[in-house]
Amino acid sequence: THNMINHVPPGVDLLCYSNGTDYVRGFRNAVAQAKNGRVVVLVDCTNLLNLRHLHDKDRGWETPYPTNQDEFMSFDNVRRFGNGGKTLIVSYGNGVVTALRARQNLVEKKVIQSEDCVD
């Protein structure tokens, strides 16, 4: 998606998840909403489909499959990475991985402390 979506027509719910757990939980909600008549579009990033590692070979982007069929992610839920700080990085989709890697780089260089990223 190149993290750029120019125009979304009114009434369309556009979803772009950054990790497998959120995708499954969000997709369950999307199907339920579509059955109720809403128009739902999911944007996939092919880079995220096979991504396993966030930093080096840490397997940090592997997430457990949510087996509880009642576990949904509503359209207004966000995922937060970090413990709080003075800087907040907000992104979606593939940009979340880039933001988390940039955050780690800035922390290692002591430019920032352990800041937050919001997906």
Side-chain angles (χ1 to χ4, degrees):
T1 62
H2 304 292
N3 283 336
M4 184 175 173
I5 301 170
N6 290 329
H7 177 72
V8 179
V12 174
D13 295 313
L14 182 66
L15 310 173
C16 184
Y17 297 104
S18 68
N19 64 76
T21 299
D22 288 352
Y23 192 98
V24 171
R25 293 170 54 233
F27 190 79
R28 289 174 183 158
N29 183 47
V31 169
Q33 298 302 319
K35 285 180 180 178
N36 289 326
R38 291 179 77 157
V39 177
V40 182
V41 176
L42 279 88
V43 178
D44 288 335
C45 176
T46 55
N47 181 55
L48 294 174
L49 295 176
N50 295 310
L51 187 65
R52 290 182 176 85
H53 309 290
L54 190 56
H55 307 289
D56 298 319
K57 298 286 184 182
D58 66 351
R59 301 180 78 109
W61 210 240
E62 292 180 347
T63 58
Y65 185 86
T67 56
N68 181 352
Q69 295 296 315
D70 296 326
E71 192 176 345
F72 286 82
M73 183 174 194
S74 71
F75 293 157
D76 57 352
N77 284 129
V78 296
R79 178 169 299 279
R80 186 175 187 153
F81 300 91
N83 300 319
K86 295 179 182 177
T87 305
L88 178 66
I89 303 169
V90 180
S91 189
Y92 67 94
N94 197 44
V96 174
V97 173
T98 303
L100 290 170
R101 288 176 176 161
R103 178 186 73 171
Q104 181 66 25
N105 190 6
L106 293 170
V107 168
E108 288 171 359
K109 292 180 178 181
K110 301 189 185 323
V111 174
I112 63 174
Q113 295 179 351
S114 181
E115 308 297 330
D116 282 349
C117 286
V118 174
D119 177 5

